[in-house]
Amino acid sequence: MARDCSVGRALLLEAVYTVEWGRVFLSTAVLHYAAAAVTDRGRKRPSNEDAFGFSVEHGIYVVCDGMGGAAAGEIASSLAVDEVLNLFAEQAGKAAITLQAAAEKAVHAANAAIHSRAQRNAQLSGMGTTLVGLVTDEQRALVVNVGDSRCYRLREGKLEQLTLDHSLVEEQVRLGRMTRSEATRSPLRNVITRALGTQRNVTADFFEIEARPGDLYLLCSDGLTRELANNKIEMLLGDEIPLDEICLSLTKAANKAGGHDNITCVLVKVEE
Ligand code: CA
């Protein structure tokens, strides 16, 4: 009889502990994400070869900058965005795989879709696209990168670039063979060393990060970063205005600085 009582009490204590743990978990770890995006043709290009897409529900945000001539570039970037978003939608609710496995699967599906389309149509031969993406699952997050589109994070007012460009000049700068100002002026500054769709296989960079309330992530094409210095981007991201207005102020500033290329920004805000 005594033993039954103690068992009963032990179970009760365990239940209280679980509820308490649940409450603590809810108050410290459930993060919400909000996003806004804009793409702008810029002032010099006849068409817009950038594409973006996101799903807050599925925790995927992506920017792609296509290449290979107007029609081909547009096809490559929008194919990549569609493939990635579709794959994340399909995986939702299925057996959990790691963020990196999900992202790798999406990158390879997008690469294959572009590559096979280009193989079937000579006019699209050689088309490709950059891809920068943010994948989120509560506070765990992953940045994915192929090419020279970028991901930045504004945390406590400080801007930090989370990706490394796969571009000829940036790789020369990292090797100490070129200065940053030489890179900016180089006629080879448009050459990227990795892209989706141009080869049968592609290797993406993955950066695991921990998202915190207050973080603001920016995914963008080089039409923004060629025009605006990091301190200007940092200043505009710090404005206490709605996300869609920040997107517009970024594209407006890039156009004012010349608008030489298509400009795309996706902003992702982490909230408690
Ligand atoms: Ca571009």
Side-chain angles (χ1 to χ4, degrees):
M1 189 62 152
R3 185 178 290 170
D4 285 352
C5 280
S6 73
V7 167
R9 193 164 60 194
L11 285 174
L12 183 65
L13 282 173
E14 187 176 291
V16 169
Y17 174 79
T18 305
V19 170
E20 188 65 16
W21 182 82
R23 191 182 64 77
V24 171
F25 177 80
L26 284 172
S27 67
T28 58
V30 173
L31 299 180
H32 297 281
Y33 291 84
V38 69
T39 188
D40 188 290
R41 187 165 54 86
R43 294 169 57 196
K44 310 283 181 186
R45 296 285 174 93
S47 60
N48 190 346
E49 297 176 48
D50 286 358
F52 72 83
F54 63 83
S55 164
V56 175
E57 185 191 351
H58 300 135
I60 176 73
Y61 308 82
V62 62
V63 165
C64 291
D65 176 352
M67 60 185 199
E74 281 175 42
I75 291 168
S77 60
S78 53
L79 259 179
V81 169
D82 291 348
E83 281 292 324
V84 170
L85 290 191
N86 286 341
L87 222 121
F88 273 82
E90 276 172 23
Q91 281 172 11
K94 288 194 182 163
I97 56 173
T98 64
L99 289 185
Q100 181 157 335
E104 270 177 5
K105 206 169 155 187
V107 162
H108 290 297
N111 188 66
I114 299 164
H115 191 68
S116 69
R117 181 87 173 263
Q119 299 270 308
R120 294 196 306 270
N121 184 339
Q123 285 180 323
L124 302 177
S125 174
M127 72 173 172
T129 183
T130 71
L131 181 145
V132 65
L134 177 69
V135 186
T136 63
D137 178 18
E138 289 298 340
Q139 65 270 68
R140 290 186 309 131
L142 186 76
V143 176
V144 189
N145 184 51
V146 178
D148 66 351
S149 298
R150 290 180 182 172
C151 178
Y152 291 88
R153 171 172 63 202
L154 187 77
R155 178 176 278 177
E156 289 161 7
K158 288 268 169 278
L159 189 76
E160 190 186 348
Q161 185 178 328
L162 301 180
T163 49
L164 299 172
D165 291 355
H166 301 135
S167 76
L168 195 65
V169 294
E170 284 295 324
E171 287 174 359
Q172 294 297 307
V173 170
R174 288 202 287 276
L175 291 168
R177 294 183 185 150
M178 195 181 250
T179 65
R180 172 114 358 246
S181 68
E182 283 168 344
T184 311
R185 294 192 309 269
S186 169
L188 298 175
R189 64 186 182 276
N190 282 326
V191 178
I192 58 174
T193 51
R194 289 194 222 174
L196 279 188
T198 52
Q199 308 283 330
R200 191 169 294 280
N201 291 305
V202 68
T203 306
D205 284 346
F206 298 95
F207 304 90
E208 273 186 49
I209 53 173
E210 192 181 333
R212 290 191 204 157
D215 282 353
L216 180 59
Y217 293 87
L218 166 66
L219 306 173
C220 60
S221 60
D222 66 338
L224 184 81
T225 51
R226 293 274 179 85
E227 305 291 2
L228 303 182
N230 282 4
N231 59 355
K232 178 75 176 175
I233 295 174
E234 181 180 89
M235 195 189 81
L236 294 171
L237 290 181
D239 261 353
E240 299 281 332
I241 55 175
L243 286 186
D244 54 348
E245 287 179 30
I246 299 179
C247 283
L248 290 173
S249 71
L250 287 165
T251 50
K252 197 172 157 192
N255 273 320
K256 202 173 160 195
H260 295 89
D261 196 358
N262 310 139
I263 308 151
T264 302
C265 308
V266 171
L267 284 177
V268 186
K269 177 91 183 181
V270 187
E271 292 159 351
E272 215 162 354

